[in-house]
Amino acid sequence: MTLRGRLTGAFLVVVLGPVLLGAFFVASTVAAVDHSRSIERLAVAASTVRTSVDALCQQLRATADAVALTGEPAVAAGQLIGRGLAAAVLITDVTGQVTYASPGAPPTPWRDCSGPATSAPGPVRALAARVDLHDGAGALVGTVAAAQLVDPDFVARLAAVTGVAVTLLDGGASAARFTHTTESREVRDAVLAAAKTTDGERVIETTDGRYVRRIGPSSGQPLPLVLSVPSERPPGLPATLAGAVVLAGLLAVLAAWRLARVTTRPLVELAGAVDRVAHGDLTARVPVRSRDELGRLAVAFNRMTRETGSYVAALTSSRDQLRGHLAVLGDTLASTHDLQRILRVILHSAIAATGARAGAVLLVESGGVLVAQCSEGLDGRWPAGDQDGQEPLRVPVGVGVVGAVAATGVPQRGRVEATETPAGEPRCRTYVAVPFATPGGGPATPGGGSGTTVGTGTTVGTGTTIGGGSTAGSRGPAADADEAGAPAVALGVLALYDRLGADEFDDDDLVTLRTFAGHAAVAVDNVRVHEEAQRLSLTDPLTGLWNYRYLSESIRREVERASRFGRMLSVLALDLDRFKDVNDTYGHAAGDTVLAEFAQRVRGEIREVDLAFRQGGEEFVVLLPETDARGAAIVAERLGAAVRETPVVVEAYAGPIVVTVSVGIAVYPHHGTTGREVLEAADDALYAAKAAGRDTYRVAEIRPDVPMCEIPVPSGAVTPPDGLPRAGRPVHAQREPGGPARSESAAGVPESNPPGPAHARPEPTDDAAATTGEGSRAGPDAGRPGPGGGASSGPHPPRQSRGR
């Protein structure tokens, strides 16, 4: 075959192939869309029918209940029928004998709303709801049934509500028999024939283009119904498509013959030159014989060969540089969790790979604001009075070029006029901005061509986007558009400004930036996963408090801090009393609810600097830095009152669950020189509180072997007779004749084993208040949470060992 014949055949295949495929695609798409929309309409109609029948059944059931609750059922039935709440009321005794039937009641049997899924044979005359009728003593004396007529008007109302044709079958026994229908006579037989062949609720298409679905009888919808909708396919579509294909074929033949004739000779020369270039000869040239398309093709080919040589050298150098940057980037990603360092490396590599003069990596923070995490080359680019050079770049999502990229998830590149610089963004002539999201989800990036963007995102020509498709969001800032159609917001944006050696950024720069944006997304995700893993490893999943692992680390750190600065540390060991009875009586789910609520109340009663832990089961520990025994006792009193005075409400049970808590108190350094010793002393005090009857607190006994004098704690020179060590200025001991020495500050301090009620709150005195040292807890308000509220538990990051 000659070149002309091959060109003609190829052109016909290229042209007619897409035309035929397009015609087939249009026909199949129209059919598929019509089928899908019809199925959706029938599904919505079926759901509407079930909802309507269920609402009617609820109304009838309420009517029957109203009749059953009145002393005069006949009078109540007449009034409810008169209001239109039911068409008839039937009252029977326990033997089934009718004791009252409203006038004009339809013949029985009536179809029961709560009847079985299979329908009894025979036409459906009425839909009824039945309730039991009891006398004053509560004994069953019969039933009350409220019914609504199932007549043509009822079927017509269902059709009006659903927007489809409705047919009520004759008891559901056979789809060929019907009681009432809104179908026209022309399509009725075809619809019934199709309904007879369908099973379940499958949708079937009739020969005349209607879609039929059969619903019921089923639980909650006892009526055997058939729904149908007409097809929405335009008439004459196949003939129109066939005519378009034939016309396109004729035009393609004429165009192919003409093009093959005028292109045969020059293409031979072009083929020879291309063959030489394919073998590496970049000096090959094609003679320009005309000024038509082939002549311009020859000119373009010659220019291409000239520029290809320079491009090869430039690409070789650029490839080597890119490999070096990617190697550095890979090493950085693999060796550190320092997000700032990773983003700086990514930004530097992106600038070097694209030849940009400046750039920034911005992440979406709370409040919907993009904040630059790192930037380069932005100095001197701010409009007068817009930036002072100290604050980082901040752009609200949806505002300006960068904000629009974050809001829509679509990359942009283009040129910005000097008079149209977006507010809050640096001055530039050209820009490119690419969004990124966490791995596995992100904004949609539809494919596109190239163009220029002016000002704050106004596109001139064809918009610039790359990639294709969309990915399911990660449920964070880069989540997909919500159900209302709001655009997805990216996790961050990589933006570059003013490319060196070129007027604008091109599509290759967009592709390159997408690679670096992907690295940035991986870096952010890795850092956040690492932080979340650290948090989960140190918190209790049920209560949100710190776990036992973090308790061991924290008590050691707090003891070291207290020893270094000469402060006190109080430890509270808490245990819910008889918690096993809660689990045995109400179940473990209720017990979990009690534990979670108890943890919440503990957070509400302690300061921001305090630490709350779940040691295991129903045992908890609270660390109170810079708090003496008096302050710890006040906190224990408040915790006991918070649990005792407000029972825990569990939704699955009618009444609240009453629980109490026992507390053991130990103070460093009076009850131990290490964290383990203080914790064991608090545990011993907890057992003492349990032995004292529970729902109380006890302070650990001071161990005689503790070398308290080795630690400079500003406490009393003589331990007060109440046995509670406390911080503050030194106190002077007074010795009464014949009695032990006591401290002036002892007034108002709770005893280690106080008489009377276990939870009597000690009243502070002026002397006691005066003993409060800087940072120590003393007095009734010393244990309250600070302005931040709550303890340093699960939601807060771990505190570092820093001096105060």
Side-chain angles (χ1 to χ4, degrees):
M1 183 180 291
T2 63
L3 177 61
R4 181 178 299 178
R6 289 197 300 271
L7 286 175
T8 303
F11 186 82
L12 291 177
V13 170
V14 170
V15 174
L16 293 182
V19 171
L20 293 174
L21 291 177
F24 174 78
F25 176 78
V26 169
S28 60
T29 300
V30 170
V33 169
D34 178 62
H35 186 264
S36 176
R37 292 185 61 182
S38 299
I39 290 177
E40 182 178 359
R41 288 182 60 190
L42 289 176
V44 173
S47 176
T48 305
V49 167
R50 292 191 181 95
T51 303
S52 300
V53 173
D54 182 68
L56 178 58
C57 289
Q58 295 292 339
Q59 176 181 321
L60 294 176
R61 192 170 290 109
T63 302
D65 285 333
V67 173
L69 293 175
T70 59
E72 297 179 358
V75 176
Q79 293 177 349
L80 294 174
I81 293 173
R83 295 179 182 176
L85 299 178
V89 175
L90 183 67
I91 304 176
T92 60
D93 58 15
V94 292
T95 63
Q97 296 296 324
V98 177
T99 60
Y100 170 78
S102 61
T108 57
W110 299 341
R111 186 62 55 87
D112 195 348
C113 287
S114 59
T118 58
S119 174
V124 181
R125 303 300 182 188
L127 189 62
R130 305 178 186 276
V131 298
D132 294 332
L133 181 62
H134 298 273
D135 57 9
L140 179 65
V141 297
T143 60
V144 177
Q148 181 67 42
L149 292 177
V150 180
D151 52 8
D153 292 337
F154 177 82
V155 177
R157 287 194 300 272
L158 284 181
V161 170
T162 59
V164 300
V166 180
T167 300
L168 176 64
L169 299 179
D170 187 2
S174 173
R177 298 174 57 190
F178 67 95
T179 304
H180 307 293
T181 182
T182 61
E183 297 281 0
S184 62
R185 294 181 180 273
E186 293 79 11
V187 299
R188 181 184 302 167
D189 294 336
V191 170
L192 293 177
K196 187 177 181 180
T197 61
T198 185
D199 55 340
E201 296 187 358
R202 184 169 58 91
V203 176
I204 190 170
E205 185 177 4
T206 63
T207 56
D208 57 353
R210 293 186 70 86
Y211 291 89
V212 180
R213 177 173 179 175
R214 187 174 177 179
I215 63 172
S218 61
S219 178
Q221 202 290 101
L223 300 179
L225 299 174
V226 174
L227 310 179
S228 71
V229 293
S231 174
E232 297 180 356
R233 278 175 290 186
L237 179 63
T240 303
L241 292 176
V245 170
V246 172
L247 180 60
L250 294 176
L251 294 177
V253 170
L254 293 176
W257 178 81
R258 177 64 180 171
L259 289 175
R261 181 181 178 184
V262 299
T263 57
T264 301
R265 180 181 176 183
L267 285 177
V268 174
E269 298 175 348
L270 181 61
V274 169
D275 185 67
R276 291 172 59 188
V277 172
H279 287 83
D281 184 8
L282 297 179
T283 62
R285 300 291 183 270
V286 177
V288 180
R289 301 182 180 275
S290 63
R291 295 182 180 275
D292 58 4
E293 290 80 1
L294 289 177
R296 291 197 298 271
L297 178 62
V299 173
F301 178 83
N302 295 334
R303 185 173 64 252
M304 178 190 68
T305 55
R306 287 193 302 269
E307 294 179 357
T308 300
S310 59
Y311 286 162
V312 168
L315 288 175
T316 302
S317 176
S318 176
R319 180 195 61 188
D320 295 338
Q321 292 180 0
L322 185 59
R323 286 178 178 175
H325 289 307
L326 290 177
V328 174
L329 181 60
D331 294 340
T332 304
L333 289 174
S335 62
T336 181
H337 287 105
D338 185 354
L339 182 60
Q340 297 296 327
R341 175 187 173 189
I342 295 174
L343 294 181
R344 282 195 301 271
V345 172
I346 292 173
L347 177 60
H348 178 73
S349 301
I351 291 176
T354 59
R357 295 178 183 271
V361 179
L362 304 94
L363 296 183
V364 178
E365 294 189 353
S366 59
V369 178
L370 283 164
V371 179
Q373 303 300 315
C374 59
S375 60
E376 185 172 335
L378 296 183
D379 295 340
R381 292 180 174 268
W382 303 107
D386 197 15
Q387 286 278 351
D388 56 5
Q390 301 298 326
E391 296 294 331
L393 176 61
R394 301 178 64 89
V395 180
V397 174
V399 177
V401 174
V402 177
V405 170
T408 62
V410 179
Q412 291 190 18
R413 66 177 178 86
R415 177 182 296 276
V416 177
E417 300 298 334
T419 59
E420 298 179 353
T421 301
E425 296 189 30
R427 290 193 302 263
C428 63
R429 294 190 306 274
T430 60
Y431 68 89
V432 59
V434 177
F436 58 88
T438 54
T445 53
S450 62
T452 303
T453 304
V454 181
T456 59
T458 303
T459 303
V460 177
T462 305
T464 302
T465 55
I466 62 171
S470 59
T471 311
S474 60
R475 301 300 95 198
D480 286 340
D482 57 19
E483 297 179 357
V489 179
L491 177 65
V493 176
L494 174 59
L496 301 181
Y497 304 98
D498 294 343
R499 181 182 180 189
L500 291 170
D503 292 338
E504 296 183 14
F505 294 93
D506 53 26
D507 291 340
D508 292 336
D509 296 323
L510 281 173
V511 175
T512 302
L513 282 191
R514 288 195 66 183
T515 302
F516 288 106
H519 288 309
V522 171
V524 174
D525 186 63
N526 287 343
V527 171
R528 292 183 175 178
V529 168
H530 177 71
E531 293 175 351
E532 180 66 10
Q534 279 189 324
R535 188 189 68 82
L536 292 177
S537 67
L538 299 177
T539 56
D540 175 58
L542 175 61
T543 62
L545 301 179
W546 299 115
N547 58 18
Y548 180 77
R549 173 185 176 187
Y550 191 56
L551 170 62
S552 303
E553 176 185 345
S554 299
I555 196 170
R556 176 190 56 79
R557 184 178 64 244
E558 293 298 336
V559 166
E560 290 177 356
R561 181 183 290 114
S563 175
R564 183 165 62 252
F565 294 101
R567 304 296 176 88
M568 285 187 173
L569 171 67
S570 292
V571 179
L572 303 183
L574 303 92
D575 187 274
L576 292 176
D577 298 328
R578 297 184 176 89
F579 184 72
K580 184 177 183 299
D581 296 343
V582 175
N583 285 334
D584 294 342
T585 304
Y586 303 99
H588 288 276
D592 291 344
T593 302
V594 171
L595 291 175
E597 176 63 22
F598 175 71
Q600 185 66 26
R601 296 182 187 182
V602 169
R603 288 194 191 98
E605 295 296 334
I606 59 179
R607 304 169 301 180
E608 180 72 19
V609 297
D610 299 335
L611 299 171
F613 307 84
R614 184 186 179 193
Q615 192 172 12
E618 68 274 18
E619 299 178 358
F620 298 80
V621 173
V622 176
L623 302 184
L624 306 177
E626 302 185 14
T627 304
D628 55 17
R630 175 181 176 80
I634 293 175
V635 174
E637 286 253 344
R638 189 156 48 242
L639 290 174
V643 176
R644 181 191 327 108
E645 296 174 359
T646 307
V648 179
V649 178
V650 180
E651 294 182 359
Y653 303 98
I657 300 176
V658 179
V659 294
T660 58
V661 63
S662 298
V663 184
I665 302 173
V667 180
Y668 171 86
H670 294 78
H671 302 126
T673 58
T674 65
R676 179 178 296 276
E677 291 179 357
V678 178
L679 190 59
E680 290 177 354
D683 197 51
D684 294 340
L686 172 62
Y687 279 103
K690 291 281 188 180
R694 297 183 175 86
D695 192 17
T696 185
Y697 69 90
R698 288 294 182 269
V699 180
E701 297 182 357
I702 297 179
R703 295 173 51 180
D705 56 342
V706 176
M708 292 180 294
C709 58
E710 298 181 3
I711 300 176
V713 178
S715 59
V718 178
T719 300
D722 55 14
L724 298 179
R726 50 187 175 271
R729 57 188 177 86
V731 297
H732 302 284
Q734 296 179 352
R735 182 176 301 276
E736 298 179 357
R742 71 176 183 88
S743 171
E744 294 179 353
S745 301
V749 179
E751 298 289 341
S752 177
N753 293 283
H759 290 275
R761 181 183 297 274
E763 296 296 334
T765 63
D766 295 338
D767 292 338
T771 62
T772 304
E774 180 183 357
S776 300
R777 184 200 302 267
D781 296 329
R784 296 190 181 275
S792 178
S793 55
H796 302 282
R799 300 195 302 141
Q800 302 299 322
S801 297
R802 297 193 296 264
R804 303 193 179 195

